[in-house]
Amino acid sequence: MATKNQASGGVSRQVLADHVYEALLGALMDGRLEAGTPVSIDGMARELDVSPTPVREALARLEATGMVRRMALRGYRVAPLFSPEELADLMDARLVIEPANAFMACKHADQQLTGRLQQAIEDLKAAPRGPSFAEFRAYWEADERFHRMIAESANNQFLLSAYNALGGQVQRFRFFGGLGVTDADYAIAEHTEILKAFEAGDAELARQKMIDHIEGVKQRSQHDSEVRN
Amino acid sequence: MATKNQASGGVSRQVLADHVYEALLGALMDGRLEAGTPVSIDGMARELDVSPTPVREALARLEATGMVRRMALRGYRVAPLFSPEELADLMDARLVIEPANAFMACKHADQQLTGRLQQAIEDLKAAPRGPSFAEFRAYWEADERFHRMIAESANNQFLLSAYNALGGQVQRFRFFGGLGVTDADYAIAEHTEILKAFEAGDAELARQKMIDHIEGVKQRSQHDSEVRN
DNA sequence: ACAGCATAGATCCTATAGGAAATGCGATTC
DNA sequence: GAATCGCATTTCCTATAGGATCTATGCTGT
């Protein structure tokens, strides 16, 4: 067997299925796997030079994120892109969850959190805004990090699960992948407003600023999808 | 396998992994698998008389629901029961999501929905309230159905995903399994209030009544956990 | 030329085998 | 008596094989 486990890294304890999961996630995020494309278990196993078993397990996990869909006895395929209506629904769902996250996170915000939020904003400013996936990915990573830190700081594992379940954070990336960053200036300004509320320790204000931000994202995304069509 | 019985109905073809998933779910809900106990892949395969491969896939799906935890190279184990603090967190999360569901569901409620909600309440009244798992399960099923119908009627796949992600609906069942139904009268009254709001088409009232209901569940559950200790 | 059927290939699904790691237990030593 | 080491068993993890089903291509008949 060619299980040449490279004893290099300290925590090299990773199961092959985890590797496959990461590889598939990367392929989905980079757009190498387009929406609607079938994902063959055997084919992916050949491509990654592993057996079908780990691929099967990785796909079962991916299905929970909504990035792939499974039809019994007919295999997996990449989930379709969002329609403008679905995108609006996603924003409505974010409007339910994220303001609550902001409110609760603000209640026990400390210097460390505000510092990291500041850093995320700085990274957002510095990120390139080109249309290529690699460029866009840096921008998206900083944006996602800002929101995720707030969700984690709400200190409620269930709200965090709900946030993760939206999962569309990733789908959203795929949706705008071909369009590039169009609203960076707005997003940076709105993020800064949220950060200010955190620094002031005003939880109610933080909630409102998060609402304003997501409302803004919703409106701008709808405008963008109209432009595209 | 001679599974070519198509005369029996539409669901003739089911994958073994689905069967294993259902079996594990049932074992978890009935309390046959207690919190913290390890779930051996090979052992479960022997018990269900299948190969480890479908068991592995079913467990990968179950992990996403939070009912089992996985440690790489060390197998799966049943997730621990909730502490009173975690239970309070779960109720806080429900307070974020479910009132929003009620509000949106009420906006396009029809005769069919209110009829089904009424039926769920009737089932709740008729359900036995004994301490055994089988009895409690009927009660829990009617309760869960009431909330799930509202979540589905909100017509937003992302909010529904968030609701599913709470998943603790099932965990909650396990938590109270040993305690029996203690607040049926309150729950029935509160459900009825929600239904009335739906019938009146008052979305804002539906939201408020859902808040009242979950607040009530939260307080009563905390009281119960104190009694238990 | 077009419809229908048969065959071939691909794919999914499950079972089995075997290597690698972890756990449990007993013996040994201080 | 307690701690540590080594061996055996259990368990996880991956690979491979084969049966069943779906898809596609080519052929035949009208």
Side-chain angles (χ1 to χ4, degrees):
Chain A
M1 194 182 302
T3 334
K4 48 183 77 129
N5 55 345
Q6 51 275 40
S8 56
V11 201
S12 66
R13 309 271 310 286
Q14 201 176 16
V15 179
L16 209 46
D18 294 339
H19 242 96
V20 176
Y21 183 89
E22 296 292 335
L24 282 171
L25 199 63
L28 286 165
M29 303 243 304
D30 290 352
R32 276 172 288 167
L33 285 177
E34 289 184 20
T37 309
V39 181
S40 159
I41 295 176
D42 290 346
M44 194 56 63
R46 282 192 298 271
E47 190 170 327
L48 298 177
D49 201 43
V50 296
S51 80
T53 310
V55 176
R56 181 173 289 276
E57 191 170 331
L59 282 170
R61 286 187 226 164
L62 268 178
E63 192 196 2
T65 71
M67 309 238 351
V68 300
R69 290 207 198 312
R70 162 178 171 272
M71 288 160 61
L73 297 177
R74 297 195 55 181
Y76 294 86
R77 56 180 49 234
V78 181
L81 286 185
F82 290 158
S83 68
E85 291 76 19
E86 287 173 312
L87 202 64
D89 282 350
L90 171 61
M91 293 308 158
D92 288 340
R94 292 183 66 188
L95 275 170
V96 170
I97 294 174
E98 297 210 44
N101 282 341
F103 181 84
M104 301 180 87
C106 189
K107 288 224 163 180
H108 28 75
D110 56 2
Q111 193 95 29
Q112 189 185 26
L113 175 61
T114 55
R116 287 183 179 174
L117 291 176
Q118 179 70 53
Q119 182 61 49
I121 294 177
E122 295 303 324
D123 292 345
L124 208 58
K125 289 179 184 170
R129 305 178 188 181
S132 84
F133 282 111
E135 290 173 323
F136 191 68
R137 183 163 185 170
Y139 177 88
W140 175 80
E141 189 276 328
D143 185 33
E144 158 74 6
R145 179 150 43 90
F146 184 87
H147 287 274
R148 174 162 300 279
M149 273 192 298
I150 291 175
E152 289 171 352
S153 301
N155 247 2
N156 185 318
Q157 59 167 308
F158 303 100
L159 279 176
L160 181 58
S161 293
Y163 174 81
N164 285 331
L166 292 190
Q169 310 302 328
V170 186
Q171 294 271 11
R172 185 164 57 94
F173 175 83
R174 290 168 51 212
F175 184 89
F176 288 117
L179 204 61
V181 180
T182 59
D183 68 341
D185 294 333
Y186 293 104
I188 290 169
E190 289 161 358
H191 280 201
T192 305
E193 287 292 312
I194 294 169
L195 174 58
K196 274 197 220 163
F198 269 75
E199 288 171 338
D202 189 338
E204 192 52 57
L205 185 64
R207 182 211 303 273
Q208 188 57 50
K209 290 303 180 187
M210 181 63 87
I211 292 175
D212 293 346
H213 172 45
I214 300 180
E215 288 279 12
V217 172
K218 179 179 178 182
Q219 286 180 11
R220 294 192 294 270
S221 69
Q222 284 177 331
H223 176 262
D224 283 353
S225 61
E226 283 171 9
V227 168
R228 164 178 288 194
N229 294 344
Chain B
M1 198 70 70
T3 54
K4 41 187 57 184
N5 53 342
Q6 57 197 22
S8 63
V11 286
S12 57
R13 302 228 316 266
Q14 200 175 19
V15 178
L16 255 188
D18 294 339
H19 250 109
V20 176
Y21 183 89
E22 296 292 334
L24 282 171
L25 199 62
L28 287 165
M29 303 240 305
D30 289 352
R32 275 173 290 165
L33 285 177
E34 288 184 20
T37 58
V39 181
S40 161
I41 295 176
D42 291 346
M44 194 56 61
R46 282 193 298 270
E47 190 170 326
L48 298 177
D49 201 43
V50 296
S51 79
T53 310
V55 177
R56 181 172 288 277
E57 190 170 332
L59 282 170
R61 284 187 227 165
L62 268 178
E63 193 197 2
T65 71
M67 310 245 339
V68 299
R69 292 206 198 303
R70 164 178 170 270
M71 287 159 61
L73 298 178
R74 296 192 55 182
Y76 293 86
R77 55 180 48 232
V78 182
L81 286 185
F82 290 159
S83 68
E85 291 76 19
E86 287 173 310
L87 201 63
D89 282 350
L90 171 60
M91 294 307 159
D92 288 340
R94 291 184 67 188
L95 276 170
V96 170
I97 294 174
E98 297 209 45
N101 281 342
F103 181 84
M104 300 180 87
C106 188
K107 288 224 161 181
H108 28 75
D110 56 3
Q111 194 95 29
Q112 189 185 26
L113 176 61
T114 55
R116 289 182 178 175
L117 290 177
Q118 179 71 52
Q119 183 61 49
I121 293 177
E122 295 304 323
D123 292 345
L124 207 59
K125 288 178 185 171
R129 305 179 188 181
S132 84
F133 283 109
E135 290 173 323
F136 190 68
R137 183 164 183 169
Y139 177 87
W140 175 79
E141 189 277 327
D143 184 33
E144 158 76 6
R145 179 151 43 90
F146 183 87
H147 287 273
R148 175 162 299 278
M149 272 193 298
I150 292 176
E152 287 172 353
S153 301
N155 248 1
N156 184 319
Q157 58 167 308
F158 303 100
L159 280 177
L160 181 57
S161 294
Y163 175 80
N164 287 330
L166 292 190
Q169 310 301 330
V170 186
Q171 294 271 11
R172 184 164 58 94
F173 176 84
R174 289 169 51 213
F175 184 88
F176 289 117
L179 204 61
V181 180
T182 59
D183 68 340
D185 294 333
Y186 293 104
I188 290 169
E190 289 162 359
H191 280 202
T192 305
E193 286 292 314
I194 295 170
L195 174 59
K196 274 195 217 164
F198 269 75
E199 287 171 338
D202 189 338
E204 191 52 56
L205 184 64
R207 183 213 301 275
Q208 188 57 51
K209 289 302 180 187
M210 181 63 86
I211 292 176
D212 293 345
H213 172 45
I214 300 181
E215 289 278 11
V217 173
K218 179 179 177 181
Q219 287 179 12
R220 294 191 294 272
S221 70
Q222 284 176 334
H223 177 263
D224 284 352
S225 61
E226 284 169 12
V227 168
R228 163 177 289 194
N229 295 342

